[in-house]
Amino acid sequence: NAGVMQNPRHLVRRRGQEARLRCSPMKGHSHVYWYRQLPEEGLKFMVYLQKENIIDESGMPKERFSAEFPKEGPSILRIQQVVRGDSAAYFCASSPGGKKLFFGSGTQLSVL
Amino acid sequence: RKEVEQDPGPFNVPEGATVAFNCTYSNSASQSFFWYRQDCRKEPKLLMSVYSSGNEDGRFTAQLNRASQYISLLIRDSKLSDSATYLCVAPDGAGSYQLTFGKGTKLSVIP
């Protein structure tokens, strides 16, 4: 049973470009969470999704950030017009329900 | 958002030592808690769940003190492989799916 799969592992973008981060949850998991981690900081909740629904996006910046979890395919975290402050590790986690989260290996985004 | 506070450390301990970390949480309605382990630049991995007064798993013991709103993690007979950052996690409320992560406590086990 494969774990949570995130890709790419590393993503380099120039300021103003778009970043797309993908997350495939564990088999049988319908709950997906996105977290952001800045260097030397804790994980910060961004968004919680279930299939085709955004349940809670209270941790997402109001502009430039969006997330989706379509009926088919991975969950996507999209950052438009990236800025240097977006550089961070973005972790996706999945759950079958309940509070135990299983994390992917993360995507390290670097904005030049 | 609710707060979860941890001593950042680092805790530098010799192999075989016993080390304890504390974590305080602000939301008295929280029912269950977690300790995650995070190695440098890698994903957090669930170490232990704490649902009632405590939980023990081998060399690891987690305890919950609801009156004082803190959770502790005790590691006995430390191994080099225990070196990592330990994250305390609390839900935002009794029925909440949102988890608040502490910034972590760094442990280095020294030969």
Side-chain angles (χ1 to χ4, degrees), chain B residues 32-111:
Chain B
S32 54
F33 305 86
F34 306 91
W35 284 100
Y36 279 75
R37 170 196 169 126
Q38 186 174 29
D39 292 277
C40 187
R41 303 176 84 80
K42 294 191 174 181
E43 74 274 22
K45 293 184 179 178
L46 180 64
L47 181 65
M48 296 186 76
S49 306
V50 190
Y51 291 109
S52 54
S53 60
N55 190 16
E56 183 171 333
D57 183 5
R59 298 183 294 109
F60 298 83
T61 301
Q63 291 192 314
L64 169 62
N65 184 317
R66 291 191 187 278
S68 302
Q69 293 186 205
Y70 77 81
I71 312 133
S72 63
L73 178 67
L74 182 77
I75 305 175
R76 289 180 295 276
D77 190 22
S78 300
K79 312 291 185 191
L80 295 176
S81 58
D82 294 334
S83 297
T85 296
Y86 290 83
L87 309 176
C88 175
V89 185
D92 281 2
S96 176
Y97 52 79
Q98 281 201 26
L99 300 178
T100 297
F101 283 74
K103 292 186 178 181
T105 297
K106 187 172 182 179
L107 171 66
S108 293
V109 181
I110 304 164

